[in-house]
Structures are given as C-alpha cells and as structure tokens.
Amino acid sequence: MIIPLQYNLRYLRTRWTGTLITAVTFGLVVAVFVIVMALAQGLDRAFVTTGDPLNLLIMRPGVQSEMQSSVSIDRYQIIRTLKGIATGADGEPIVAPEVLVVVNKPKLPDGGKSNLQVRGIDLKTLELRPQVRIVEGRMYEPGLREVIASRLVSKRFQGFRLGDTPIFGGGTWTVVGLFDGAGTAYDSEVWCDYEELQQEFDRRGGYSTVVARATDPAAAAALARTIDEDPRLKLEVKTEVQYYSEQTETSRPLKLFGTFLATVMAIGACFAGMNTMYGNVASRAKEIGTLRVLGYTPFSIVLCFVFESVLLALIGGIFGCLVSLPMNWVTTGTTNFQTFSEVVFQFAVTPRLMTIALGFAVVMGVVGGLLPAVSAARRPIIDCLSKV
Amino acid sequence: MSESPKEKVVAARNLSKIFPHGGEDVVALDKIDIDIYKGEFVALMGPSGSGKSTLLHIVAGIDRPTSGELEVLGDPIADLSESQLSTWRNHHVGFVFQSFNLIPVLTAQENVEMPLLLTSLNKKERREHVETVLRIVGLTDRMTHYPRQLSGGQEQRVAIARALVGDPDLILADEPTGDLDAHSAEEIMTVLQKLNEDHGKTVIMVTHDPRTAHYSSITRHLDKGKMLPVGEPGSQE
Amino acid sequence: MTYHTFIRKNALRNKRRTALTVLSVGFSLFLLITLQTVLSTLLNPRETEESALRIAVRHSVGLTQMLPISYQAKLEKVPHVKAAMPMQWFGGQYIEPKNFFANFSVGHEQFFDMFPEFEFSDGAEDAFMKERIAAIVGDALMEKFGWSVGDRITLLGAIFPVDLEFRIVGSYAHESNDSAFYFRHDYLEESMSDWGMVGTYWLMADSAEAVPGIIDAVDSQFRNTAYETKSETESAFQLTFVSMLGNVQLLIGSISIVVVFTMLLVAGSTMAMTIRERLREVAILKAIGYPRRVVLGLVLGEAATVSLMGSVVACGLSLALASTDVARATGGFVEKIDPGPVVLAAALGIGIMIGLVSALFPAVQASGMSINEAMRRLE
C-alpha cells in the first residue's frame, strides 16, 4: 500500500521555508557540479567535434601536436599521388598542406597577452572542413596578406574585427572575413593563405602537417597503413577524430576538480538534507502513528519519506540546472599546454549533463532521506501517538 | 482600616486589557480596581475567560495593560521599557507556571541557578542561595536530578525554588497545582503558605480550585473581566 | 553553572541534529579551505630568499619560441648577474604518456649555483659534471618510480624528435619541489645535431635589489633583434603559467561564494528549527527576568558553538588532506594542499561568523517575541 504522492507535496508546500532552504542547498550543489562539468565538456567538445573520421592528419612521428610537426614539400607531393584519396570538384585530390604558427596578441578587455594560433591553409581546406563557414565579409584572396578570423577570436582579442589590420611576423595583414567554426577548435584560430604565412615566418622549407581526405572509412584505414609503411615518408597518420580526442587531456584537471567539488559539497548537502528530513519526521510523529494504525506497513512509511526526500532533491536539482543553463552562452578560454596557444570555447550544459546532474540529485535525496525514513518506520506506534 | 498603614504591593485603577481577535475586540479585563498589600496571600478565582490569568500576567510584567494605572511594588511597570521590565522581573518577581516549565537539559540545581546568572553573585554565593531555597522547598536530596527524573510535585517545587532564589518580594503563581494530583497539590500549597507566613512573601495565585484557594488569606473573584466585590463568591465554578 | 554550561548543554540537546549540522558545515568549510589554499598557492608562488634572486628570460612571443645559445655569454656579462643558465623543457615521456613528470635540460656548470636550496645527494655534483648523460632526480620522483642512483632511464622525445638515455647519478631533496628530472643541456644540444637554441635562460642576481635593473638591462639589450626577450622574476614567470589556465580566480572565487552561501543556508535552517523548538524556554527565561539581549546572546552563542565545532571538523579534514599525496592524484597539477595556520585560523573565524549570521534572524525574532506569544506558539 503506497501513500499517495499528494500527501508529500502538500507537506513540502506547508513547510515551505524548510523545503525552499533544503531545495536551494541541493540546487546549489547541482549548479556548481553542472557549471564546472559544462566547462570541461565545452572544452572537450571544442576538440571532439573538430575531427572528421575521413580526414587524415599526417605529421612527423612522435609529436603531440600539429604545432610541433613538420612535413617537407617533397613528401607532400608523394602523398598527393597515393590511392584512396577523395577527388575534389576541380578533379584534384583533396590534400591540403597546413602551416601553423602561434602569435602573442593582447586580449580584450584588459590587454593581457595570450597566444593565438594562426593556421595557413589551402583553399582545399574548406572542402576538408565544411563546418567552417564565413559569416561576415569574404574569404581571403590567395597571394594576398589577408586573414579570416573566427568570430570568437574577434571578440576575445584586440585588433581582429572585420577591417582591422593586425601585425604579425613583421607584416601587416587585413581581416577580410569572420568565420564560425561551429564550436570546433577552429573557433580559436585565425586562417590565411599558407604560402603567405610560410614567407612571413620563414618556413619555406616545409609545412606543419598535411591533411588528406579519404574516400571512405575503409580507404582511410588503407591509406593510413600505406603512409605508415612507406619508407620514403617516415610520417605518422592519425584520423582527425583520433588526434583531437587526444587533445581532450587538457580538460582532465577540470573534470577532477569538478568531481571533487561536487562530492564534497554533496556530502555536506546530504547531512543538511538528513537534518531537514529528521525534522519532518519528528514533527509528523502523530501522523505516522495514525497511518500505521490505519494499516500502512513500515515499508510504505519508509517509501513515503524517501520519496519525499527525493522529491525535495529533485526540485533542487531542477533549480540547479535552470540556474546553470545561461552559462551556455558564456565564452571562456584556457591554454592547450600541448600547443601553448589559447583554446576559446563555450560552456556546454548538455541534456546529458543535466540528466547526470538530476541523477546525482536523486542519489543525494535517497542518501539524505533513508535514515530518517527508517527511523520513522521503526518507531513503535504507541510512541508516535503519545508524542506531543 | 485604622491599623498601621500597610505597604501597598499592587495598586490598579481602571485597568483594562483588550485583545483584538478576528477583527473583534475581546475585553479580558474591564476597568478593574484592586489593591494588594504586603504579606497578603491572595487567590484570584473565576471561570476560564474571566481574566484572572491576564491580570496575573500584567502584574508580573509579562503582558501589558491596554489602559489604566498600575503600580507594582511602587513601580509604574506599564511605563517601563522591555529591557527595564526584564530586570525588574528578575529583581522583584518570582513566577510559577502551571506546567512547571523547567529547562529539560539542566539539573534541578542548575534550573534554580538560572535567574542568578544575571546577578553579580559569584559561584559560591550562587550555590549557597540555591541550596537555601532548595532546602525551603525540601528538595536538597534531588539537586543533581534532571526534570525528567522528578515527579510532578517535585518539578513544581523546583520551579518554586527558582521563583524564590532571587529573593523577590512578590511570588506569582498561575494555577500551580493544575497539573498535579491531590497529594502533590497539597504539598505545593503548604510550601506557598510557608513562604507567605514564615518568609513574609506576598503571594498572588490564580486558581479555579476552591480547595487550593482555601490556603490563601484573601480570595477575590473575577467574572467576565470584572472584579466582584470582596467576599462575594463567583457565580459558578 | 555558567552561561557556557547552559549553551553547551543546549547545543548537545539534539545530538543527532547537532552532529549532522557540524558535519555539513564541516565538509563545506573544508571545501572552502581547500579552494582558497589552491588559489593562493597558484596566485602567490612562494617567494624565498633564493627565488627572489632568480630571473627567467624567454622569447618575447612565448615559450614555444627559442633563444640562441649564443645569448649565454652576453647574459653573463650583464652587471650584477652572477650566473646565467640555459634551461629547456624537454617534455620527454617515461615509457608512456601518463607517467607525466617535469624534465628539463640545464646548464650543468651553473645548475648547482642556481638552486642552492636543493640538497643534493653525495657525489651528485661531481658525477653530473663528468658524465654527459647524467641526470639528477627529485626524491619524490625517485620514490614514485622506484629508481635508484646508477639506474639507466630512457625518455622518449615528444616535442623533440630524439629519445635520450640517461644514467641517474644523484638525487636532491626539497620541501615542495622534489619531483623534477634534470639533465645536461649539452647532451640535448648534441643529440639534436648542434641545435644552437634553448627555451629559457635563468639568471642569478647578486642581490634582490639588482633584480629590476637586470630585467631592464637584458630586455633593452635584445630589443629590435630577431630574438627579443621577456625577462621576469621567478614568481612572475609562474604567474604567467597560471594566467594561461584561464580565469582561475573568477572560477574559484565564485564557487567559494556559493559554498559559503550553502553553509549559511544549512546552518540557518538548522538554527531556525532549533529555535522554533526552543520558544518555550525563551519564554521561561524572559519570565524569570532574562533581558532580551541575554536571551539573544545565549541563542547566538549556541549557534556559534555548533558552527565552531564544524570548523574544527573542517580543519581536521584539511590537515588530513595536507598529509596525503595530492600531487599524484592531480597529476602534478597541484603539488600540495597545505592550508597553514593563517588559513585555518581564518576558517575558524568564518565558521563562527556563519553560526552568528545564520542564527541572527531567527534569534532576533524569538527573543523579541512576547512571553505570551511564545507560550502560545508552543500549542
């Protein structure tokens, strides 16, 4: 026999101050958890969504990031001739060299300097990375000192608005377009013609990496093997997905921090929840006795109070999720210590994260409510009834 | 009244108390006049709602009159501020409740000591005072017991000791035997009588029990907020 | 009996509730102490006599850009510079990437003068001078991997395209920074076929007063050259790293505020519950002549006592954490969480404040209630 839900709801409403305080306590714990985890997830997402399983990133063996890699021009030429590479609209294989440099630029609003990644690309790169779209202005003109910057970069760094003329590597460049990287790592970058960048930074000898697009997953695997085994190349191949998921290592301390925070706060909140529930149980002793006389089993009493506690925690959890939702529109940055350049990303309060947070709230509710509920059910009926 | 002029302990003129209740005013005390003299043992009687407890509370400085003049022990207590009134109560009045109202976490001795913490007495002096009053109420053998280890009569005797420990001029008791069996009630009344006769304390007691009222020297009756003339018994009990 | 006895007895009246409140406040306060300790360790790198004399010189663009090895001679000639040492983050991996630890190449001739606070094992210095593949390893790291002097270790190059084999010739002890691996820069230089570059130079000034002058002299000497420098004190150099993490201060600061607020809520709701049950006593105390401020004091005293107990629990937890190996759990990100007496004292203070603030509202309400009202509320 189960005590109806109405009963719990009425009670929570009657003792609304206690309910509110406890729910807010649970809610704040959930909010802190969600926000820190959203930070970690946003960072992960910037990397994970960047990769395409058909894109092969070809680098010097043993390096941790594109930045440290170098590939000579003659090897690039060999790669172009390999089998399994998709063909572009112009009938040429989709293989693009990329040149990466880091420049140190003042940030908005305080002018503190941060490293910014500049990627020299070939126009073919756009076929490799269709998620990148120009949203304002136009594409750069090959052979000119023109750059396109991500919209997030133009908001976070000084001198990267449309029409600005940033100086790097000694030359003056013009921002002719802004792009949207759809939450990928490219949102932290500035792009320009690779040949211009090679000249500016005296990298004529080679590229940083070469990216090739395979026709299909099987061809991608075959192509990777071919490159690995080719004695002329001595290069290492990773799919972009593989490469970028290795970069998520950056968020590991954050996740650890978030878990630690949430755990310690949850322990504190569970004790507080227990207090509230013991209070609720004590003030309802007479009713518990009455319900028992009416024939409710001790188990249904336990269920009733655990349920009430879970309900309380869930209200808090929902409150916590709602409070943290606006964080979705906040942009922040950290440094990828493998490239020493800034990663710009948005907090990601995902439905999955909110589900985990609510589950977490339910656990807090059960832990906080179980002991008081058991104590309510175990008290002899006569004690309950005589208690004033 | 030609004997040596006795000291007035309570002097009330036109004393009224009106409680607002659900939009309507309930008159608890209706222009009451009463004089109580030092050394008297007054029983205030009347049916419930007659205003006897309200009068006692006002005299004790626990509640305030709506209008009228009131002097207790020569002080115009209706005009005192809340904190002056606290100190006044501590110095001049001992209050005994129907339901004892001991503090459950403290022993008998500690309960009695509570009012003395507010005074400048040192530990030793406080202890002597506590022992003296516990001797008066006959509970020296129960000093370290907690309220739940005492009988109702014993609890009330501790409460009386607490009321007495500050050596007040006036002891006020609100249905002191209301929660007790006949035998315990007798004990309590004997103690109050002893305080009045042997220690010269003025005692004002509210009761609805004629047997209890019997211990007093003067009995006054209230009905519907009015004081009945001396000697006239209450219409019904 | 005294007021204290009364407060203590009251605080322990509902033992379960008090215990739960103490634990709740304790855990939250423990978190606050931990957060603040981490934040202050990050933001205030410990300045010692030795570190105040050290200056880091790097390329003005950033740590990924290198400086020529030829700068060493020029830096040594700058007035008040006692020693100039090349130092390079090698970023080598031991067997697999998760065995992360700091490993640097250093100028072997200056190394021992540069870090006078390190206590080197016997014979370490001589061996390091003589043997090109020599390495000196911090005690904590030696222990972590079970290495001993004489062992041969290979680090796989991640940033550099070379794998280097070393022989451990000695160890060093230091109270906080004893998990790094140092080897000779000339060995790296040679393995990279006379590379000719290095990431940073570390300078040792002859006095703390000379430091600002050296920084100016070095940076202006190389201004408008192909390799401009950026020089800063050791603590400023460390802060650069922290600022690269992002807005740590804002994150930890706002979380701390939420934690304090949670504690206030928890303590406040418990005190409200307690005081509601205590109304009868408030009435009794007032009836026997207790003035409002004493009643208020007793209630607040009880709240402060409970939260102080919570603070003690928090300090206990913090001290327990201080004695655990935090460095391993965080992958070397945080070396140690040791709050120190000042933070602990502050935590005790905050604990008491939380008790007082949380109880203030219900206590004022209860103590201001008239005796009749308080008695009626009980029914």
Side-chain angles (χ1 to χ4, degrees):
Chain A
M1 204 155 34
I2 300 214
I3 298 160
L5 170 65
Q6 275 296 322
Y7 174 85
N8 300 111
L9 281 174
R10 291 263 165 76
Y11 251 106
L12 290 178
R13 210 169 56 205
T14 317
R15 307 194 57 162
W16 67 273
T17 37
T19 303
L20 194 71
I21 291 177
T22 315
V24 169
T25 309
F26 281 131
L28 290 175
V29 176
V30 169
V32 166
F33 173 74
V34 170
I35 290 173
V36 176
M37 284 308 184
L39 196 61
Q41 283 222 318
L43 186 54
D44 278 357
R45 185 151 79 175
F47 291 124
V48 171
T49 59
T50 304
D52 185 315
L54 292 184
N55 287 354
L56 296 177
L57 197 55
I58 304 159
M59 299 187 292
R60 197 185 72 195
V63 296
Q64 282 178 339
S65 79
E66 305 174 280
M67 193 67 65
Q68 297 146 0
S69 164
S70 68
V71 178
S72 64
I73 295 174
D74 49 323
R75 284 176 184 156
Y76 161 64
Q77 294 301 348
I78 298 172
I79 294 166
R80 276 174 62 91
T81 64
L82 296 176
K83 268 194 213 124
I85 296 177
T87 312
D90 55 359
E92 297 282 315
I94 308 180
V95 177
E98 296 198 334
V99 178
L100 284 148
V101 298
V102 166
V103 294
N104 199 244
K105 288 289 166 196
K107 275 199 286 191
L108 294 166
D110 56 354
K113 285 190 166 185
S114 201
N115 284 341
L116 175 62
Q117 190 155 311
V118 181
R119 186 182 293 269
I121 57 159
D122 185 278
L123 286 178
K124 281 218 177 54
T125 301
L126 298 174
E127 290 184 60
L128 287 163
R129 299 183 173 133
Q131 66 271 55
V132 175
R133 290 178 306 117
I134 302 277
V135 288
E136 243 180 284
R138 57 172 175 81
M139 192 59 193
Y140 70 86
E141 201 67 57
L144 291 180
R145 299 260 149 132
E146 290 180 346
V147 299
I148 56 171
S150 96
R151 211 155 39 171
L152 291 181
V153 165
S154 83
K155 279 183 203 148
R156 269 182 85 81
F157 283 87
Q158 286 175 16
F160 282 92
R161 287 166 310 175
L162 198 60
D164 281 351
T165 50
I167 297 175
F168 45 85
T172 305
W173 301 67
T174 309
V175 181
V176 297
L178 296 184
F179 66 83
D180 180 355
T184 61
Y186 309 124
D187 267 333
S188 314
E189 297 181 353
V190 170
W191 287 9
C192 63
D193 183 21
Y194 73 100
E195 288 181 313
E196 292 303 309
L197 202 61
Q198 273 181 304
Q199 279 177 27
E200 196 72 89
F201 284 83
D202 202 13
R203 295 271 195 92
R204 286 185 195 86
Y207 314 118
S208 302
T209 61
V210 170
V211 187
R213 187 169 184 84
T215 46
D216 55 72
L223 190 56
R225 219 170 20 251
T226 316
I227 296 171
D228 268 340
E229 288 163 2
D230 195 321
R232 297 170 299 169
L233 292 174
K234 285 196 207 120
L235 292 171
E236 187 172 329
V237 193
K238 281 174 184 164
T239 66
E240 270 186 351
V241 174
Q242 221 177 340
Y243 171 77
Y244 283 105
S245 61
E246 282 168 17
Q247 305 284 312
T248 57
E249 190 66 1
T250 312
S251 71
R252 212 175 66 104
L254 255 181
K255 283 180 193 153
L256 195 76
F257 176 62
T259 314
F260 168 75
L261 263 181
T263 312
V264 179
M265 283 189 83
I267 294 173
C270 280
F271 287 128
M274 263 188 230
N275 242 342
T276 310
M277 286 311 295
Y278 271 119
N280 286 355
V281 167
S283 67
R284 272 143 68 180
K286 234 178 199 166
E287 284 168 36
I288 296 167
T290 313
L291 287 170
R292 294 287 309 282
V293 170
L294 291 178
Y296 285 94
T297 60
F299 179 72
S300 63
I301 303 276
V302 170
L303 212 60
C304 170
F305 280 95
V306 167
F307 190 71
E308 184 165 321
S309 170
V310 168
L311 206 60
L312 197 57
L314 263 180
I315 294 172
I318 292 168
F319 163 77
C321 286
L322 289 180
V323 167
S324 37
L325 260 184
M327 292 307 288
N328 255 334
W329 287 274
V330 175
T331 302
T332 186
T334 184
T335 298
N336 179 349
F337 280 94
Q338 280 158 356
T339 60
F340 278 106
S341 61
E342 173 148 296
V343 190
V344 186
F345 62 97
Q346 286 184 322
F347 284 75
V349 184
T350 57
R352 185 170 159 270
L353 179 57
M354 286 195 280
T355 317
I356 293 174
L358 290 181
F360 181 58
V362 170
V363 172
M364 285 198 284
V366 172
V367 172
L370 199 58
L371 286 177
V374 168
S375 88
R378 285 178 56 178
R379 187 184 292 148
I381 302 180
I382 202 70
D383 281 12
C384 294
L385 291 175
S386 65
K387 178 137 184 184
V388 184
Chain B
M1 300 281 177
S2 56
E3 291 174 48
S4 57
K6 279 199 270 181
E7 203 181 315
K8 243 186 223 177
V9 175
V10 178
R13 295 287 170 274
N14 271 330
L15 202 62
S16 292
K17 176 70 183 179
I18 297 165
F19 292 110
H21 184 83
E24 253 176 82
D25 286 348
V26 176
V27 180
L29 291 178
D30 190 3
K31 295 187 184 130
I32 277 187
D33 292 343
I34 187 172
D35 288 319
I36 293 170
Y37 294 89
K38 189 168 168 55
E40 289 182 342
F41 187 162
V42 180
L44 294 175
M45 296 196 65
S48 50
S50 63
K52 55 186 193 305
S53 286
T54 307
L55 179 60
L56 193 76
H57 286 156
I58 290 176
V59 168
I62 287 175
D63 207 348
R64 288 171 185 276
T66 312
S67 65
E69 288 161 34
L70 174 66
E71 278 195 2
V72 181
L73 298 162
D75 294 312
I77 61 166
D79 302 334
L80 298 180
S81 74
E82 198 57 45
S83 70
Q84 287 170 320
L85 208 52
S86 296
T87 315
W88 180 85
R89 276 198 300 269
N90 188 243
H91 290 181
H92 302 294
V93 181
F95 203 95
V96 179
F97 300 90
Q98 174 175 352
S99 50
F100 331 133
N101 282 349
L102 296 179
I103 294 173
V105 288
L106 301 181
T107 59
Q109 173 178 244
E110 288 170 337
N111 262 293
V112 174
E113 197 181 348
M114 279 307 283
L116 296 184
L117 290 181
L118 293 167
T119 65
S120 55
L121 297 177
N122 66 31
K123 209 170 181 167
K124 189 164 159 279
E125 291 166 327
R126 291 202 303 262
R127 192 172 171 82
E128 283 165 7
H129 278 72
V130 170
E131 280 175 13
T132 309
V133 290
L134 281 173
R135 195 169 310 121
I136 293 175
V137 299
L139 274 179
T140 36
D141 55 336
R142 292 279 187 276
M143 300 222 311
T144 56
H145 285 53
Y146 284 91
R148 70 187 132 76
Q149 300 167 315
L150 299 172
S151 71
Q154 288 169 330
E155 278 196 76
Q156 191 61 300
R157 279 192 278 161
V158 174
I160 293 174
R162 183 176 66 187
L164 200 59
V165 75
D167 196 19
D169 307 294
L170 187 57
I171 304 265
L172 301 170
D174 189 1
E175 302 271 16
T177 59
D179 284 1
L180 298 176
D181 59 83
H183 175 71
S184 301
E186 207 170 292
E187 264 178 27
I188 293 302
M189 291 318 299
T190 316
V191 169
L192 286 176
Q193 201 171 33
K194 187 167 102 182
L195 291 181
N196 176 248
E197 287 171 2
D198 302 354
H199 299 268
K201 304 290 178 199
T202 311
V203 180
I204 307 175
M205 171 182 75
V206 162
T207 183
H208 63 269
D209 180 358
R211 276 172 304 171
T212 305
H214 171 70
Y215 287 86
S216 66
S217 54
I218 298 169
T219 303
R220 301 294 305 267
H221 292 269
L222 282 95
D223 193 23
K224 297 183 179 117
K226 289 204 187 294
M227 189 65 86
L228 303 182
V230 183
E232 195 174 313
S235 40
Q236 73 250 50
E237 248 341 290
Chain C
M1 187 184 63
T2 58
Y3 286 144
H4 296 117
T5 326
F6 182 63
I7 289 174
R8 202 189 57 233
K9 285 191 164 190
N10 259 340
L12 295 178
R13 187 166 181 172
N14 189 332
K15 290 201 181 61
R16 185 174 57 206
R17 180 188 300 154
T18 305
L20 289 172
T21 312
V22 164
L23 288 172
S24 180
V25 168
F27 271 90
S28 304
L29 202 55
F30 159 63
L31 188 59
L32 188 70
I33 296 174
T34 308
L35 288 176
Q36 291 303 318
T37 308
V38 170
L39 187 63
S40 78
T41 339
L42 289 178
L43 295 185
N44 309 305
R46 216 160 37 124
E47 187 128 313
T48 59
E49 228 173 282
E50 296 86 10
S51 76
L53 294 177
R54 281 194 290 265
I55 300 166
V57 180
R58 59 180 171 92
H59 193 290
S60 64
V61 166
L63 284 163
T64 47
Q65 311 290 315
M66 302 291 157
L67 295 172
I69 202 78
S70 62
Y71 273 24
Q72 173 152 11
K74 295 178 185 166
L75 289 168
E76 276 168 352
K77 287 199 192 90
V78 174
H80 299 292
V81 170
K82 265 168 57 184
M85 179 186 84
M87 182 153 155
Q88 175 62 48
W89 170 261
F90 179 60
Q93 290 164 3
Y94 177 60
I95 304 173
E96 51 180 341
K98 77 173 171 58
N99 295 333
F100 174 87
F101 56 86
N103 46 82
F104 305 92
S105 70
V106 292
H108 60 282
E109 280 161 9
Q110 303 86 14
F111 181 58
F112 298 90
D113 296 330
M114 197 55 72
F115 297 106
E117 66 266 42
F118 288 177
E119 287 171 36
F120 294 99
S121 59
D122 292 340
E125 184 166 356
D126 286 347
F128 199 61
M129 291 298 172
K130 275 187 211 130
E131 202 170 340
R132 183 159 285 230
I133 64 163
I136 289 184
V137 182
D139 281 342
L141 200 60
M142 293 285 267
E143 198 186 326
K144 181 174 174 183
F145 291 111
W147 292 336
S148 49
V149 171
D151 283 1
R152 282 180 175 264
I153 303 294
T154 300
L155 294 186
L156 310 172
I159 303 172
F160 294 88
V162 287
D163 299 339
L164 298 181
E165 191 189 11
F166 303 101
R167 202 175 74 81
I168 298 173
V169 299
S171 65
Y172 72 91
H174 184 259
E175 53 174 318
S176 60
N177 169 29
D178 58 351
S179 46
F181 183 105
Y182 296 97
F183 62 93
R184 289 169 56 149
H185 188 69
D186 55 358
Y187 180 36
L188 176 64
E189 177 76 17
E190 179 199 72
S191 316
M192 293 284 294
S193 33
D194 297 328
W195 177 37
M197 305 296 268
V198 68
T200 56
Y201 283 99
W202 286 80
L203 309 183
M204 182 63 122
D206 59 8
S207 71
E209 293 74 47
V211 168
I214 295 175
I215 288 176
D216 280 349
V218 170
D219 286 351
S220 56
Q221 182 179 351
F222 299 113
R223 193 158 299 142
N224 296 320
T225 64
Y227 302 97
E228 280 193 20
T229 58
K230 162 90 178 144
S231 310
E232 51 201 350
T233 59
E234 181 175 307
S235 47
F237 183 71
Q238 285 170 5
L239 281 183
T240 309
F241 269 91
V242 174
S243 73
M244 287 167 88
L245 287 175
N247 206 334
V248 178
Q249 206 166 359
L250 179 71
L251 183 69
I252 295 189
S254 29
I255 291 171
S256 298
I257 291 171
V258 174
V259 172
V260 171
F261 187 67
T262 319
M263 276 191 282
L264 276 176
L265 280 179
V266 169
S269 70
T270 322
M271 279 320 288
M273 257 195 277
T274 305
I275 292 168
R276 206 181 308 131
E277 286 172 12
R278 244 10 109 57
L279 282 179
R280 178 192 286 273
E281 264 162 62
V282 169
I284 301 169
L285 289 177
K286 293 183 92 174
I288 61 178
Y290 273 62
R292 183 175 176 173
R293 69 192 146 71
V294 178
V295 175
L296 191 65
L298 289 173
V299 175
L300 290 182
E302 183 180 338
T305 307
V306 172
S307 58
L308 184 65
M309 289 194 275
S311 315
V312 172
V313 169
C315 292
L317 288 171
S318 304
L319 291 175
L321 184 67
S323 60
T324 59
D325 187 1
V326 180
R328 185 168 301 176
T330 59
F333 181 71
V334 179
E335 284 282 339
K336 215 171 174 99
I337 302 179
D338 190 355
V342 180
V343 176
L344 290 183
L348 288 177
I350 290 173
I352 294 172
M353 282 307 295
I354 284 189
L356 293 180
V357 172
S358 66
L360 200 58
F361 179 66
V364 165
Q365 221 182 10
S367 68
M369 207 173 265
S370 80
I371 299 169
N372 276 325
E373 200 181 340
M375 287 287 190
R376 260 203 310 279
R377 285 284 188 94
L378 295 165
E379 309 314 325

